[in-house]
Amino acid sequence: MEKEEFRKARILKALEARSMNWLEILRMVLSEFDCTKGTIHFMDQDTGLLKLQAEEGIPAFLIPKLSDIPIGKGMAGIAAERREAVELCNLQIDTSGVARPAAKETEVAGSIAVPMLANGKVIGVFGIAKPLPYTFTKTETTALLELGTAMAVAYRKQL
């Protein structure tokens, strides 16, 4: 079994639980993809904002800035808007405007925001990051997108 297949299989099994611990799911994703920090946001259907559900490794002073993310703002908001993964090899030197200024305070470099889609509808976005510059491979990105779909389905089952 390829490394990415193992990664997916382990996390997919955890997503079958009746009661979802999203922080534990995030920690599994971080571990399997050798990342140190991450977030999970779910779409609030009433406000249209991405609401923080779980985070790991994010400095406490940044949590208020990450709690509610508008669609189209920052990596997570753009991933939701485009319905595709948004990646930065080195967030620290990004000048594209994709990353919000406060994102640099997370002290991460290689990062990716992945939409969680169910039947084409954005359910949420999760993001993971490494402390060093990194470009996720096509295989890794595909695996992360598949996990995003599985996470969206698992979230909907909880409702």
Side-chain angles (χ1 to χ4, degrees):
M1 182 183 295
E2 287 185 38
K3 190 175 181 182
E4 283 75 22
E5 289 300 316
F6 173 74
R7 290 173 176 167
K8 282 193 318 190
R10 182 171 168 242
I11 299 165
L12 290 173
K13 182 160 180 60
L15 288 169
E16 293 173 3
R18 284 188 192 266
S19 177
M20 200 62 53
N21 181 330
W22 291 105
L23 180 56
E24 286 304 314
I25 296 296
L26 177 60
R27 288 176 175 160
M28 289 176 71
V29 174
L30 291 171
S31 174
E32 294 303 328
F33 287 88
D34 301 319
C35 290
T36 57
K37 298 180 183 190
T39 59
I40 295 177
H41 289 81
F42 288 109
M43 179 69 73
D44 182 314
Q45 298 305 316
D46 294 330
T47 65
L49 295 172
L50 294 167
K51 298 277 192 176
L52 185 64
Q53 176 72 37
E55 60 82 18
E56 180 71 21
I58 305 298
F61 71 92
L62 287 177
I63 300 300
K65 294 179 182 182
L66 300 175
S67 293
D68 298 318
I69 298 177
I71 301 303
K73 300 289 183 183
M75 289 181 68
I78 291 172
E81 180 179 63
R82 295 180 184 170
R83 292 176 166 74
E84 62 185 38
V86 174
E87 178 181 4
L88 291 174
C89 172
N90 189 346
L91 185 144
Q92 294 301 314
I93 61 170
D94 176 62
T95 58
S96 71
V98 170
R100 305 290 289 170
K104 292 183 181 184
E105 296 177 56
T106 60
E107 299 179 356
V108 298
S111 55
I112 189 167
V114 181
M116 293 182 274
L117 304 171
N119 298 323
K121 184 174 181 177
V122 177
I123 305 302
V125 175
F126 71 95
I128 59 175
K130 298 175 181 275
L132 301 172
Y134 185 80
T135 300
F136 289 84
T137 67
K138 184 176 180 178
T139 302
E140 287 172 321
T141 301
T142 298
L144 288 164
L145 287 165
E146 290 172 2
L147 285 172
T149 298
M151 291 165 77
V153 170
Y155 180 76
R156 281 188 143 178
K157 284 182 182 178
Q158 281 192 304
L159 300 179

